[in-house]
Amino acid sequence: MTLPMGGVASGRRVDVLRHSHMGVGLSQHQSLLSARSFGQHCRSRRNRLVNQPVSAGPITADRSTSHKSSENHSTNTTQHHSNTGSTPNGASNGVPGSKKIGPPLNESVQAILLAGGPSTNALARFRAMPAVKLGSNMQLIDVPISNCIKSGVNKMYVLTQFNSHTLNTHIAASYPPVVFGGPQKRGFVDVLTASQTPKSANWYKGSADAVRQQLDSILDAFRGMDLPDELLILSGQALYRMDYADLLQTHRSNNADITIATHAVGLGQASFRGCCKVEPDTGRISLFYEKPTGDDLDKVRSVSRNATEENPFEASMGIYVFKRDVLVNLLRTESGDTKSAHFGADVIPHALESKLKVVAHHFDGYWRDISNLRDFFEVNLEMTSPSSPISVFDVEETIVSRGHILPPAMIHKCEIVHSLMGEGSALRGSYIKGSVIGCNTFVANGCHIEDSLLMGNDNYSNDRERERARQQGLSVLGIGENSVIKRAIIDDNVSIGSNVQIINKDGIEEADHTKKGYVIQNGIVVILKGAIIPDGTVI
């Protein structure tokens, strides 16, 4: 179909667009909005969100443009099953967390987000994995933060160590205390970096050791707030929508010491996760093996009532709720034991040995752990589809950043199918399908881009700046004329010449050509950050 011309807000999904000329973009999300009404809608939603003080209670947001995925809760006294939903808690008064057992989450729960350590992922060479871009203008860390805000948890610590600058900068810009915290500054997203202290001069040895080293800061009541009743431990590199209030309800209704969010997985994933045996009558976890193999794997196969023939293993999602005193005792009594570095490998088995009450909260909604390059690549491409199980709107609506001061995407004589366009991008005379185009991306005439992720550029450039750079013999960021890119990732600030083909023509699975500006992982070509690919190159 041919769509009318007109300007639209950027950073949105384009389902089908055939355009003759002029600078425009178009977004479809359940219904097609006119350019002007869509822009007004986005500004109105952002203003309502930003102007609502967190200190008065958890942030709520208009979800009229969010996917209305079903919410099916079945609760008993032992194990709670949750799915995703557009209204997170099913709260009777419309406020997240209001129907749950115990005090409100914004008064009793603090979240600890783990930013992870070194990774073999090619994109983690230049930033922590949670700082890798999701969609056209978000980062992975926004997913757990968004879930927290929607669930009513408005006090968060992000523990960083590895390649943390990009992540620290994003959090500071996207969740500023003046806006996010409200008048009384009771809501916050604080970054806690690894540092030497009188108690420890070492780097974090693992997830549990990171929390151990930061306990004094986490439990410091310097804002005049009461200490939390529970601490919520979250991974910073997974894509899912979860109502943490449901998780806390499971924890509180069972008077559990520890509650672990679990998800059914198949054999291919089980040996990379922490797998457990859940007693059907009590919901208690009686066995837990981190990355099991051999006999240990057989012991946790098909032993959960949530197991299926396709997914016979109940795996930890890396999401834990601890009673505050339980977590402190587990970590501090083991402070001299360097082996107690990880929650899955050390802390949870020790808790079971100590006869603590550890229960499971089964989650059967969409969940994707993003640990390798293929996972990250496929998740981004999934988000370009109208039938995507999770939408960029689901995450973006709770980001309270002041935003980039960039013009909308400019599109001239392009055919674009099922793609995400970032603001500040300029696309000319090209075919783009099933791809994510990041902010400030330039695509010249005659290009063919399919099933690819272009992460964009740090700075916006116009035609005059590009021509001036050419005259000075400098590289020009963007994609040159008549280039073809298929199933590839183009990292930040890359200059690709004309008539370049990035198609993995030889079907190579793994290769390291860092000196030439690219690597291949999992069969996906990654053009590294800042690389210059000359005219006529074929990869």
Side-chain angles (χ1 to χ4, degrees):
M1 66 181 175
T2 301
L3 300 172
M5 294 182 289
V8 329
S10 307
R12 300 290 184 254
R13 184 172 62 241
V14 175
D15 287 320
V16 178
L17 176 61
R18 293 184 179 89
H19 215 275
S20 58
H21 69 286
M22 294 185 64
V24 306
L26 185 71
S27 173
Q28 180 183 24
H29 191 79
Q30 292 187 344
S31 62
L32 290 173
L33 302 177
S34 71
R36 180 171 300 175
S37 65
F38 183 79
Q40 291 173 344
H41 166 79
C42 291
R43 288 191 294 273
S44 174
R45 183 184 68 180
R46 177 60 54 85
N47 289 338
R48 287 197 300 274
L49 180 60
V50 169
N51 293 331
Q52 183 173 2
V54 176
S55 58
I59 291 179
T60 58
D62 176 14
R63 295 173 178 82
S64 59
T65 58
S66 296
H67 284 298
K68 301 298 181 182
S69 54
S70 62
E71 181 174 349
N72 180 20
H73 300 286
S74 58
T75 309
N76 57 32
T77 60
T78 58
Q79 188 180 12
H80 186 83
H81 296 253
S82 70
N83 204 332
T84 124
S86 56
T87 304
N89 302 291
S92 57
N93 63 359
V95 178
S98 62
K99 74 168 187 175
K100 305 304 177 184
I101 297 173
L105 303 192
N106 65 326
E107 298 177 3
S108 59
V109 178
Q110 292 183 11
I112 301 171
L113 284 63
L114 302 173
S119 171
T120 58
N121 190 317
L123 298 175
R125 292 186 179 191
F126 308 102
R127 78 280 280 173
M129 270 305 296
V132 174
K133 291 178 183 176
L134 177 69
S136 60
N137 53 8
M138 297 175 292
Q139 295 183 8
L140 281 173
I141 194 67
D142 293 321
V143 174
I145 293 178
S146 172
N147 285 334
C148 281
I149 296 172
K150 291 179 182 180
S151 301
V153 178
N154 64 353
K155 299 172 179 64
M156 292 162 260
Y157 294 97
V158 182
L159 274 54
T160 67
Q161 173 174 279
F162 178 77
N163 268 353
S164 60
H165 174 70
T166 301
L167 182 59
N168 297 347
T169 301
H170 172 73
I171 291 172
S174 297
Y175 309 98
V178 171
V179 177
F180 182 78
Q184 298 179 353
K185 310 297 185 295
R186 291 300 180 92
F188 57 83
V189 183
D190 277 2
V191 174
L192 298 177
T193 60
S195 59
Q196 291 183 327
T197 68
K199 293 183 178 180
S200 176
N202 300 317
W203 291 106
Y204 302 151
K205 299 180 179 67
S207 55
D209 187 57
V211 176
R212 176 191 294 117
Q213 291 195 37
Q214 296 291 355
L215 272 180
D216 289 343
S217 298
I218 293 169
L219 300 179
D220 182 5
F222 69 95
R223 287 183 173 88
M225 298 177 295
D226 293 334
L227 292 177
D229 297 328
E230 294 100 358
L231 289 164
L232 175 63
I233 312 294
L234 303 170
S235 166
Q237 52 189 62
L239 183 61
Y240 62 101
R241 294 179 63 202
M242 179 184 285
D243 177 8
Y244 298 139
D246 288 334
L247 174 64
L248 266 294
Q249 183 182 24
T250 300
H251 181 77
R252 292 173 176 179
S253 63
N254 285 281
N255 192 28
D257 296 305
I258 304 169
T259 299
I260 303 175
T262 61
H263 190 82
V265 301
L267 180 61
Q269 294 189 53
S271 58
F272 299 99
R273 315 283 180 214
C275 294
C276 55
K277 177 181 180 181
V278 182
E279 300 299 331
D281 54 339
T282 64
R284 292 186 67 161
I285 294 175
S286 56
L287 288 175
F288 188 96
Y289 296 106
E290 182 72 3
K291 300 179 180 178
T293 57
D295 292 341
D296 290 344
L297 194 61
D298 291 335
K299 292 177 183 177
V300 291
R301 184 195 298 267
S302 301
V303 293
S304 167
R305 67 183 178 189
N306 303 302
T308 64
E309 183 176 349
E310 181 180 2
N311 297 308
F313 299 95
E314 190 86 355
S316 167
M317 298 170 64
I319 299 173
Y320 311 94
V321 178
F322 287 83
K323 287 182 178 177
R324 183 191 72 240
D325 292 341
V326 169
L327 179 62
V328 170
N329 290 335
L330 282 170
L331 295 182
R332 285 185 169 164
T333 55
E334 298 291 322
S335 59
D337 183 0
T338 58
K339 294 182 180 179
S340 296
H342 301 279
F343 282 107
D346 306 307
V347 174
I348 299 303
H350 178 70
L352 292 173
E353 292 172 2
S354 302
K355 305 302 181 183
L356 293 176
K357 188 173 186 179
V358 184
V359 303
H361 172 88
H362 181 74
F363 178 76
D364 55 11
Y366 177 87
W367 173 69
R368 188 78 175 265
D369 180 64
I370 303 174
S371 55
N372 60 48
L373 187 72
R374 183 181 296 279
D375 291 333
F376 172 76
F377 181 72
E378 291 177 349
V379 157
N380 272 276
L381 296 192
E382 281 179 359
M383 296 181 76
T384 67
S385 170
S387 59
S388 170
I390 191 166
S391 164
V392 290
F393 287 85
D394 298 330
V395 180
E396 190 187 45
E397 66 182 3
T398 51
I399 299 175
V400 295
S401 171
R402 297 182 182 90
H404 302 288
I405 304 175
L406 292 170
M410 299 293 290
I411 302 173
H412 298 260
K413 297 181 179 180
C414 292
E415 182 175 353
I416 302 174
V417 181
H418 297 318
S419 295
L420 289 171
M421 300 292 112
E423 55 195 344
S425 54
L427 316 175
R428 295 178 178 172
S430 294
Y431 176 81
I432 300 172
K433 179 181 179 181
S435 298
V436 177
I437 309 299
C439 296
N440 298 323
T441 298
F442 177 86
V443 179
N445 286 300
C447 292
H448 183 112
I449 300 173
E450 189 170 348
D451 296 334
S452 294
L453 172 58
L454 281 60
M455 299 184 70
N457 302 310
D458 290 337
N459 299 307
Y460 173 78
S461 64
N462 56 35
D463 288 340
R464 285 174 296 181
E465 291 174 344
R466 295 178 63 81
E467 183 58 33
R468 188 182 303 116
R470 288 192 188 95
Q471 292 175 0
Q472 296 174 357
L474 302 176
S475 62
V476 180
L477 301 182
I479 315 299
E481 294 181 348
N482 302 315
S483 292
V484 178
I485 301 174
K486 293 184 178 181
R487 288 194 61 79
I489 298 175
I490 312 299
D491 207 341
D492 295 337
N493 304 324
V494 166
S495 176
I496 293 178
S498 300
N499 301 302
V500 171
Q501 295 187 48
I502 303 174
I503 56 177
N504 194 6
K505 67 181 183 66
D506 297 324
I508 298 171
E509 281 295 311
E510 303 289 333
D512 188 346
H513 297 286
T514 300
K515 292 183 179 180
K516 295 181 180 180
Y518 72 95
V519 298
I520 302 176
Q521 287 187 351
N522 307 122
I524 302 165
V525 178
V526 181
I527 307 299
L528 298 174
K529 181 177 180 179
I532 299 175
I533 307 299
D535 294 349
T537 300
V538 178
I539 300 176

